[in-house]
Amino acid sequence: MSRLAGLMRDRIANLAFRVARNRRVREFVYELRNRGVFADLYQHDRMLHDGVRMEAYWQGISRHISEGDVVIDLGTGSGVLALFAARQGARVHAVEHGPIIDAAREVARSNGANTIEFHKENSRRLQLTEKVDAIIHEQIGDALFDERVVANIADLRERLLKPGGRIYPSRLRLFVEPVQLQEGYRAPFAWQQASHGISFAALEAFGDTQGHGYVYRTFRPFPFDRFLCDPQPVLTVDLHVVNDADLPKRIAYERPVVREGWFDGFAVYFEAWFDDEIGFSSSPDAPPTSWATPLLRVSPRRVAPGESIRLELTADDLADPATWRWPWH
Ligand SMILES: C[S@@+](CC[C@H](N)C(=O)[O-])C[C@H]1O[C@@H](n2cnc3c(N)ncnc32)[C@H](O)[C@@H]1O
């Protein structure tokens, strides 16, 4: 390759890298992908079949939404939450940016619900001639914030929620817990392995060239064996007040080990609360839900009480797990 061609290639690579890291570009790509992910019934089957989720939303909406309320259902999908609110006597603006909204309209019509107005657009562009009493949503990703719940809710809250208006669920808690996986699911890095006398130690040199997916794995169901420390949330947010800029760029702790075992990585999960009593969790030791559980892989090692485990997680954007970094080997 000539010097000039080499220079051009480096410039283009540099530019592509900067474009890919740009927040607006990432959000645009995210919106396109999200619309596609929820476009057909594949995801909706699983979500409607998730008894933990459905029961919590039914209880939460039945308790907090009442006759005469005007409500936004952010990301209505199959329409289920809008229908729950309509059942309580609410008038609902159901907003959905994907084609699944046509299915939701049909579900509402066939259930005789006539107090739901459907808006086929992204919530950031939703315009209404009135402000609402409450926002309901299920914008919760496997890594809690990765369906842009904070940015999307903050936008609607500032523009379209009445002063003192309510958001359900509103209290979200993120957990990043050291775990032991079930035997058989433990996966040492390739360079720690050997087979029939062949060592793969030479592969360590390639460790740093692996993509994010090499160390950020999601499991459904999660092959959970045990927590090694006593679980504590690393972050709690209240959607009535939080903004995207409040999400931390660094999460760190040092915790005592309380259970002996293999430290295989950090399990990422959440709790979402409607109030002090009604909520749900994607914890790997709670009843299974439709959410997958991400594992932040580390080099597996045995730990025992008396030792401690440190987490040092940095995130350019906590809502985008592709930007998460932690020492993993
Ligand atoms: C996790 S699903 C939940 C669907 C439904 N509310 C439920 O509980 O079964 C999230 C839905 O929100 C939609 N969505 C995500 N972001 C949105 C946005 N900013 N504006 C409108 N719809 C959005 C997705 O297309 C998807 O259908």
Side-chain angles (χ1 to χ4, degrees), residues 69-72 91 93 128 130-135 156 159-166:
D69 276 342
V70 181
V71 173
I72 292 176
R91 197 155 55 73
H93 293 285
L128 300 179
E130 61 182 340
K131 292 210 169 185
V132 302
D133 302 292
I135 300 170
L156 287 180
R159 295 189 301 113
L160 293 172
L161 187 63
K162 286 179 185 168
R166 298 154 284 135

Side-chain angles (χ1 to χ4, degrees), residues 169-207:
S170 61
R171 195 169 1 111
L172 306 179
R173 293 173 141 186
L174 178 68
F175 293 77
V176 184
E177 284 299 325
V179 288
Q180 169 172 306
L181 300 181
Q182 287 166 20
E183 200 60 48
Y185 286 88
R186 179 158 311 111
F189 294 118
W191 53 89
Q192 296 165 325
Q193 302 184 37
S195 182
H196 299 282
I198 299 169
S199 157
F200 294 97
L203 293 179
E204 186 157 11
F206 295 85

Side-chain angles (χ1 to χ4, degrees), residues 20-94:
R21 277 179 63 99
N22 179 282
R23 209 181 176 105
R24 289 223 168 130
V25 172
R26 286 211 315 266
E27 281 187 0
F28 176 70
V29 172
Y30 171 79
E31 186 183 327
L32 286 182
R33 273 191 35 225
N34 182 274
R35 250 188 274 173
V37 166
F38 292 104
D40 58 27
L41 292 181
Y42 178 79
Q43 300 289 347
H44 299 280
D45 284 356
R46 287 191 313 101
M47 293 189 291
L48 292 172
H49 192 251
D50 174 347
V52 171
R53 188 187 91 103
M54 298 304 288
E55 203 44 37
Y57 272 93
W58 173 252
Q59 297 292 340
I61 289 172
S62 303
R63 178 180 286 184
H64 294 287
I65 301 296
S66 35
E67 185 82 38
D69 276 342
V70 181
V71 173
I72 292 176
D73 174 18
L74 165 54
T76 201
S78 65
V80 57
L81 306 185
L83 275 137
F84 282 0
R87 281 273 164 91
Q88 303 309 314
R91 197 155 55 73
V92 186
H93 293 285

Side-chain angles (χ1 to χ4, degrees), residues 27 34 57 105 142 155 170 183 186 222 228 259 313:
E27 281 187 0
N34 182 274
Y57 272 93
R105 274 201 188 95
D142 297 333
D155 165 66
S170 61
E183 200 60 48
R186 179 158 311 111
F222 190 72
L228 301 167
R259 247 160 259 107
L313 176 67

Side-chain angles (χ1 to χ4, degrees), residues 7-26:
L7 213 73
M8 290 288 286
R9 190 203 55 187
D10 287 353
R11 284 244 164 108
I12 290 169
N14 217 324
L15 185 70
F17 183 72
R18 289 209 335 251
V19 168
R21 277 179 63 99
N22 179 282
R23 209 181 176 105
R24 289 223 168 130
V25 172
R26 286 211 315 266

